[in-house]
Amino acid sequence: MTTVYPVILCGGSGTRLWPLSRKSYPKQFASLVGDTTLFQASAQRLAGNRAGLEFAAPLILTNSDFRFIVTEQLAEVGIDPGAILIEPEGRNTAPAILAAAQHLHAQDPNAIMLVAPSDHVVPDADAFSGAIATGLKSVNGGDMVTFGITPERPETGYGYLELPEKPDGSACKLMRFVEKPDADTAEKMVQSGRYLWNAGIFLFSVKTILEAFETHAPDLVNPVAQAVNAAEIDLGFIRLDPEAWAQASDISIDYAVMEKAQNLSVVPFSAGWSDLGGWDAVWREADLSVSGVATSGAATAIECKDTLLRSENSTLEIVGIGLENVIAVAMNDAVLVADMTKAQDVKKAVSALKQKQAKQATAFPKDHRPWGWFESLVIGDRFQVKRIVVHPGAALSLQSHVHRSEHWIVVEGTAKVTVDEEVKLVGENQSVYIPLGAVHRMENPGKVPMVLIEVQTGSYLGEDDIVRYEDVYARN
């Protein structure tokens, strides 16, 4: 049985799935299709034993903001990561993959690594494992393998892989990468049968990919190696050195290596795949009615056709009447309504909101923290009301505020509250007042989530009005 090391890339943000996907909480952490998140489904797909393969614990690459979300979501599905590398800043896929290869080389110089994004949908995990097994034959011969998806339609949102002849299911040599085409070109390529969608998934030995970087992108090797060698362990995470990392070029693996390499093979895959690159893709993956309507959450469709209606708030009903080819997605703080044919233009909405400095462009309604999450319910000039959820056993930092006081009302569970020298338990329907300047902490000593309502009053209510004295999550 061959061991494969999964490398899951988990640092990007999908603006084309706004308002659900935002910079502070991108699409890979959302349950867009099924009960698990895309990230969880990716990790599950690359775990256990299938098709004569044994998947090692996954190596995750992400950024500092998402590190606790990653560990929390993996724990929810019972997966223990092998290592989590923290990128100091996004430098695209080439430096990330090189860092993973260098890290794995120190553990096993003969390791075989599978690189996959964390936000793809692949319904048939067994079929995908079979494709990996097919690719191993080429990998053992010194090739690097990419996976091409049999096109279901002319698609202008994907890059393509050109093959010398129509694929027969086995691995074959790659002729060239093709950039995202226009509609006419996409139609011709699909009709020819010699083109596959570029899935951005790769399989190669650590030795082969390191040699490829040395040959085709030597300028990346030293700065990334320095970032890996000078990495620091932080609460079990591996933080790559920021100064060295900043010297690495911002470039994709395709441009840096793959488009220059000669030892590249393609394994065709036709058992279902989507990168969920837009709301139209989410609609296609949904359980459609006979009239082509997909509803999710508190959504009702009346005499609609080929339409997606989605509510992310159980108390916010979205109703469509007589709609056709429409996308409508409702969040607590934003609503998207678009023609289905304009799904790829949703990112323009994000740009427009950024220009008007609307916080909805990047900030998610729920602000996730390593101890849980909170959301603002009401905001006034000198007050704010929040709902705060604290995980069992978790604790906020010992802190104080310069500009605000707080009033906490526990509505579920029990809170252990520190206010200056006093420590006490506060149960449901009980409250506690935190004066301005008081040193305080909130903990959940129980085994169920603790929920409280926080009322802030003061001259400034920003999240940066925090002076931390102690923090179990090592936040500054």
Side-chain angles (χ1 to χ4, degrees):
M1 185 171 289
T2 302
T3 299
V4 173
Y5 291 81
V7 175
I8 301 178
L9 306 179
C10 192
S13 61
T15 56
R16 288 176 293 178
L17 286 178
W18 184 89
L20 180 60
S21 177
R22 308 187 196 183
K23 182 180 179 181
S24 66
Y25 200 75
K27 67 175 182 175
Q28 58 262 32
F29 301 123
S31 301
L32 282 162
V33 178
D35 296 328
T36 58
T37 69
L38 298 178
F39 170 63
Q40 289 172 324
S42 297
Q44 290 176 316
R45 185 164 58 249
L46 302 176
N49 301 328
R50 292 192 184 93
L53 306 175
E54 179 181 3
F55 290 106
L59 172 62
I60 312 295
L61 283 106
T62 188
N63 60 47
S64 185
D65 291 341
F66 301 152
R67 66 194 189 282
F68 293 110
I69 300 174
V70 164
T71 54
E72 179 182 331
Q73 291 205 351
L74 287 177
E76 287 175 356
V77 293
I79 293 178
D80 185 20
I84 299 177
L85 302 186
I86 305 299
E87 299 177 73
E89 58 181 306
R91 307 301 288 170
N92 217 314
T93 54
I97 292 171
L98 177 56
Q102 292 172 343
H103 176 82
L104 285 175
H105 185 267
Q107 299 180 23
D108 181 1
N110 298 312
I112 294 173
M113 53 191 287
L114 177 83
V115 178
S118 59
D119 55 0
H120 289 185
V121 173
V122 183
D124 193 335
D126 290 335
F128 185 64
S129 295
I132 296 172
T134 298
L136 282 175
K137 301 173 185 177
S138 299
V139 169
N140 293 332
D143 275 4
M144 297 184 291
V145 171
T146 185
F147 296 84
I149 310 301
T150 303
E152 300 174 354
R153 61 192 176 278
E155 177 61 64
T156 60
Y158 298 150
Y160 286 72
L161 306 171
E162 183 180 2
L163 310 182
E165 56 188 8
K166 292 183 178 181
D168 60 5
S170 59
C172 59
K173 287 294 182 180
L174 173 68
M175 287 186 63
R176 67 184 179 105
F177 289 85
V178 180
E179 294 292 337
K180 297 176 182 178
D182 57 36
D184 290 340
T185 303
E187 179 72 39
K188 293 175 182 177
M189 289 195 299
V190 171
Q191 289 181 354
S192 75
R194 295 191 301 106
Y195 293 84
L196 304 174
W197 289 338
N198 181 7
I201 304 172
F202 300 97
L203 180 72
F204 34 63
S205 69
V206 167
K207 178 182 177 181
T208 300
I209 189 61
L210 290 179
E211 290 175 348
F213 272 103
E214 290 280 2
T215 301
H216 304 296
D219 60 306
L220 285 175
V221 176
N222 285 336
V224 174
Q226 291 172 14
V228 173
N229 294 334
E232 296 183 352
I233 304 299
D234 177 9
L235 296 176
F237 303 102
I238 301 175
R239 288 185 174 275
L240 301 175
D241 181 73
E243 293 186 8
W245 189 254
Q247 303 305 311
S249 301
D250 186 333
I251 188 170
S252 72
I253 188 68
D254 285 358
Y255 288 145
V257 173
M258 296 303 170
E259 293 187 0
K260 304 171 185 176
Q262 300 299 311
N263 58 330
L264 199 60
S265 294
V266 182
V267 172
F269 185 72
S270 56
W273 170 91
S274 174
D275 74 340
L276 292 189
W279 285 113
D280 55 337
V282 175
W283 171 74
R284 282 191 292 268
E285 294 296 321
D287 185 12
L288 300 177
S289 69
V290 292
S291 56
V293 174
T295 58
S296 177
T300 301
I302 300 173
E303 298 178 3
C304 295
K305 180 180 179 182
D306 298 336
T307 288
L308 172 68
L309 297 177
R310 187 180 182 108
S311 174
E312 296 298 325
N313 185 336
S314 60
T315 64
L316 195 161
E317 289 282 345
I318 182 170
V319 179
I321 303 176
L323 303 178
E324 184 172 350
N325 298 318
V326 168
I327 299 163
V329 181
M331 300 282 292
N332 293 13
D333 62 341
V335 177
L336 168 71
V337 181
D339 187 280
M340 189 74 73
T341 62
K342 298 294 184 180
Q344 296 300 310
D345 291 338
V346 170
K347 58 186 177 182
K348 294 180 180 179
V350 178
S351 297
L353 291 174
K354 286 181 178 179
Q355 289 181 357
K356 62 188 294 186
Q357 298 182 336
K359 65 179 183 179
Q360 289 91 336
T362 57
F364 199 70
K366 288 183 179 180
D367 200 325
H368 289 262
R369 292 288 192 265
W371 43 259
W373 57 268
F374 69 84
E375 62 179 339
S376 295
L377 303 178
V378 182
I379 301 177
D381 291 337
R382 292 181 58 86
F383 76 93
Q384 180 172 204
V385 181
K386 290 182 177 180
R387 174 168 57 173
I388 300 177
V389 178
V390 183
H391 297 316
L396 281 69
S397 60
L398 186 67
Q399 60 185 255
S400 66
H401 308 296
V402 178
H403 301 285
R404 70 175 185 254
S405 60
E406 297 173 341
H407 197 123
W408 296 343
I409 305 98
V410 177
V411 293
E412 290 184 25
T414 300
K416 180 182 178 182
V417 176
T418 299
V419 182
D420 290 329
E421 302 301 322
E422 182 182 10
V423 180
K424 63 180 180 179
L425 294 178
V426 181
E428 292 181 7
N429 298 320
Q430 294 181 324
S431 63
V432 62
Y433 175 65
I434 314 297
L436 185 150
V439 178
H440 60 281
R441 190 204 304 267
M442 177 198 313
E443 304 173 60
N444 180 359
K447 296 185 178 180
V448 297
M450 184 266 289
V451 184
L452 62 80
I453 301 300
E454 177 183 82
V455 181
Q456 302 176 351
T457 57
S459 59
Y460 178 72
L461 306 172
E463 286 303 312
D464 54 348
D465 180 22
I466 296 177
V467 180
R468 287 194 175 98
Y469 304 97
E470 295 176 8
D471 185 56
V472 296
Y473 307 107
R475 294 171 295 171
N476 294 325

